[in-house]
Amino acid sequence: MKIKYSIIFFFVVLLFSSCKDEFDEWGYVNIYIDPESTEYFDLNTGRRGWIYLHGGNRGILVVRNSGYENTSEAFFAFERSCVVSGCKGTVEMEDNNLLITCPKCHSTYMAYEGLPVSGKAKRALFEYRAYYDGIYLYIRN
Protein backbone atom coordinates (compact mmCIF):
# COMPACT_ATOMS: atom_id res chain seq x y z
CA MET A 1 0.00 0.00 0.00
CA LYS A 2 2.86 2.35 0.85
CA ILE A 3 4.43 1.76 -2.58
CA LYS A 4 1.14 2.60 -4.29
CA TYR A 5 0.96 6.01 -2.57
CA SER A 6 4.62 6.66 -3.32
CA ILE A 7 4.06 6.02 -7.03
CA ILE A 8 0.96 8.24 -7.12
CA PHE A 9 2.84 11.02 -5.28
CA PHE A 10 5.76 10.73 -7.72
CA PHE A 11 3.49 11.10 -10.76
CA VAL A 12 1.61 14.06 -9.28
CA VAL A 13 4.89 15.88 -8.51
CA LEU A 14 6.20 15.06 -11.99
CA LEU A 15 2.99 16.27 -13.62
CA PHE A 16 2.98 19.67 -11.93
CA SER A 17 6.72 20.36 -11.99
CA SER A 18 7.63 19.33 -15.55
CA CYS A 19 5.42 21.78 -17.44
CA LYS A 20 5.73 25.03 -15.52
CA ASP A 21 8.49 26.51 -17.67
CA GLU A 22 7.49 25.24 -21.11
CA PHE A 23 7.63 27.57 -24.09
CA ASP A 24 4.15 27.81 -25.60
CA GLU A 25 4.43 30.70 -28.05
CA TRP A 26 4.88 28.78 -31.27
CA GLY A 27 2.36 28.35 -34.03
CA TYR A 28 1.31 25.63 -36.40
CA VAL A 29 3.63 25.60 -39.43
CA ASN A 30 3.42 23.51 -42.58
CA ILE A 31 4.97 25.41 -45.49
CA TYR A 32 7.45 24.84 -48.27
CA ILE A 33 9.50 27.22 -50.40
CA ASP A 34 11.97 27.00 -53.27
CA PRO A 35 15.05 28.57 -51.65
CA GLU A 36 16.82 28.96 -55.00
CA SER A 37 14.10 31.19 -56.48
CA THR A 38 14.67 34.92 -56.85
CA GLU A 39 11.90 35.56 -54.32
CA TYR A 40 14.29 34.34 -51.60
CA PHE A 41 17.43 36.05 -52.87
CA ASP A 42 18.53 37.08 -49.35
CA LEU A 43 18.60 33.42 -48.32
CA ASN A 44 21.25 32.78 -50.96
CA THR A 45 23.39 35.87 -50.35
CA GLY A 46 26.95 34.89 -49.47
CA ARG A 47 27.56 32.01 -47.13
CA ARG A 48 25.20 33.15 -44.36
CA GLY A 49 21.88 33.97 -45.95
CA TRP A 50 18.68 34.37 -43.95
CA ILE A 51 15.07 35.49 -44.42
CA TYR A 52 11.93 36.14 -42.41
CA LEU A 53 8.79 34.21 -43.35
CA HIS A 54 5.18 34.62 -42.27
CA GLY A 55 3.92 31.82 -40.09
CA GLY A 56 4.23 30.48 -36.60
CA ASN A 57 3.43 32.91 -33.79
CA ARG A 58 5.52 36.02 -34.58
CA GLY A 59 7.09 34.78 -37.80
CA ILE A 60 9.86 32.39 -38.81
CA LEU A 61 13.55 33.11 -39.20
CA VAL A 62 15.19 30.82 -41.78
CA VAL A 63 18.98 30.63 -41.72
CA ARG A 64 21.12 28.93 -44.36
CA ASN A 65 23.88 26.69 -43.00
CA SER A 66 26.54 26.99 -45.70
CA GLY A 67 28.53 24.02 -44.39
CA TYR A 68 25.89 21.55 -45.55
CA GLU A 69 24.90 22.55 -49.09
CA ASN A 70 22.05 20.52 -50.63
CA THR A 71 21.47 18.34 -47.57
CA SER A 72 18.74 18.23 -44.98
CA GLU A 73 21.05 20.13 -42.55
CA ALA A 74 21.36 23.08 -44.96
CA PHE A 75 18.74 25.22 -43.17
CA PHE A 76 17.51 26.11 -39.69
CA ALA A 77 14.05 27.54 -39.01
CA PHE A 78 13.37 29.33 -35.72
CA GLU A 79 10.23 30.84 -34.20
CA ARG A 80 10.77 34.60 -33.88
CA SER A 81 9.15 34.75 -30.42
CA CYS A 82 11.69 35.35 -27.67
CA VAL A 83 11.82 32.43 -25.22
CA VAL A 84 12.48 34.49 -22.08
CA SER A 85 9.64 34.11 -19.60
CA GLY A 86 7.40 37.19 -19.71
CA CYS A 87 9.15 38.74 -22.72
CA LYS A 88 6.87 39.28 -25.71
CA GLY A 89 9.68 40.40 -28.04
CA THR A 90 10.33 39.36 -31.63
CA VAL A 91 13.89 38.22 -32.31
CA GLU A 92 15.87 39.72 -35.19
CA MET A 93 19.04 38.78 -37.06
CA GLU A 94 21.96 41.12 -36.37
CA ASP A 95 23.95 42.76 -39.18
CA ASN A 96 26.86 40.35 -38.73
CA ASN A 97 24.61 37.35 -39.59
CA LEU A 98 26.05 35.45 -36.62
CA LEU A 99 23.77 36.49 -33.78
CA ILE A 100 20.02 36.75 -33.21
CA THR A 101 18.84 39.32 -30.67
CA CYS A 102 15.66 40.28 -28.89
CA PRO A 103 15.33 44.08 -28.84
CA LYS A 104 12.96 43.95 -25.86
CA CYS A 105 14.97 41.95 -23.28
CA HIS A 106 18.37 42.16 -25.03
CA SER A 107 18.94 38.40 -25.06
CA THR A 108 21.33 37.13 -27.73
CA TYR A 109 21.31 33.75 -29.48
CA MET A 110 23.68 31.99 -31.90
CA ALA A 111 22.33 32.07 -35.45
CA TYR A 112 23.02 28.46 -36.36
CA GLU A 113 21.79 26.64 -33.29
CA GLY A 114 19.55 29.20 -31.59
CA LEU A 115 21.43 28.68 -28.31
CA PRO A 116 21.52 31.56 -25.81
CA VAL A 117 24.76 33.56 -25.65
CA SER A 118 23.92 36.43 -23.30
CA GLY A 119 21.01 38.16 -21.61
CA LYS A 120 18.13 36.61 -19.68
CA ALA A 121 17.64 33.65 -22.06
CA LYS A 122 18.32 30.24 -20.56
CA ARG A 123 16.97 28.07 -23.35
CA ALA A 124 17.38 27.82 -27.10
CA LEU A 125 14.97 29.41 -29.55
CA PHE A 126 12.05 27.21 -30.58
CA GLU A 127 13.16 25.42 -33.74
CA TYR A 128 10.83 24.17 -36.42
CA ARG A 129 11.77 21.12 -38.49
CA ALA A 130 13.45 22.18 -41.71
CA TYR A 131 14.01 19.58 -44.41
CA TYR A 132 15.65 20.38 -47.74
CA ASP A 133 15.33 17.79 -50.49
CA GLY A 134 17.53 19.66 -52.98
CA ILE A 135 14.57 21.47 -54.57
CA TYR A 136 12.16 22.55 -51.84
CA LEU A 137 12.65 23.53 -48.22
CA TYR A 138 9.87 22.11 -46.03
CA ILE A 139 9.26 23.79 -42.65
CA ARG A 140 6.96 22.01 -40.20
CA ASN A 141 6.27 21.47 -36.50
Side-chain angles (χ1 to χ4, degrees):
M1 195 65 147
K2 195 175 194 182
I3 294 174
K4 182 179 176 183
Y5 289 119
S6 297
I7 292 172
I8 292 172
F9 177 75
F10 173 75
F11 283 115
V12 169
V13 168
L14 183 65
L15 176 69
F16 288 107
S17 67
S18 65
C19 298
K20 69 179 179 182
D21 198 26
E22 288 295 317
F23 176 72
D24 62 350
E25 292 198 19
W26 54 274
Y28 177 73
V29 173
N30 186 12
I31 60 174
Y32 69 95
I33 63 170
D34 177 3
E36 302 298 326
S37 77
T38 57
E39 183 177 0
Y40 304 109
F41 176 78
D42 290 337
L43 192 57
N44 299 307
T45 303
R47 298 181 55 107
R48 298 183 186 133
W50 58 273
I51 59 170
Y52 297 132
L53 294 176
H54 294 286
N57 187 30
R58 289 191 177 93
I60 302 169
L61 170 62
V62 180
V63 180
R64 185 175 207 116
N65 186 359
S66 62
Y68 295 94
E69 292 298 320
N70 297 326
T71 66
S72 61
E73 293 89 19
F75 298 93
F76 294 103
F78 300 109
E79 170 62 44
R80 290 189 63 200
S81 297
C82 183
V83 295
V84 173
S85 180
C87 178
K88 300 293 184 188
T90 302
V91 296
E92 301 171 349
M93 181 68 83
E94 284 192 0
D95 292 335
N96 62 11
N97 295 352
L98 294 174
L99 297 173
I100 302 167
T101 59
C102 174
K104 188 168 182 182
C105 70
H106 306 291
S107 292
T108 306
Y109 307 88
M110 291 176 26
Y112 292 106
E113 292 90 13
L115 298 174
V117 175
S118 65
K120 297 178 183 179
K122 293 182 176 49
R123 65 175 62 212
L125 291 172
F126 183 82
E127 185 175 357
Y128 294 107
R129 293 181 191 153
Y131 174 75
Y132 183 57
D133 66 2
I135 300 171
Y136 293 107
L137 171 62
Y138 299 89
I139 302 169
R140 298 185 174 130
N141 292 68

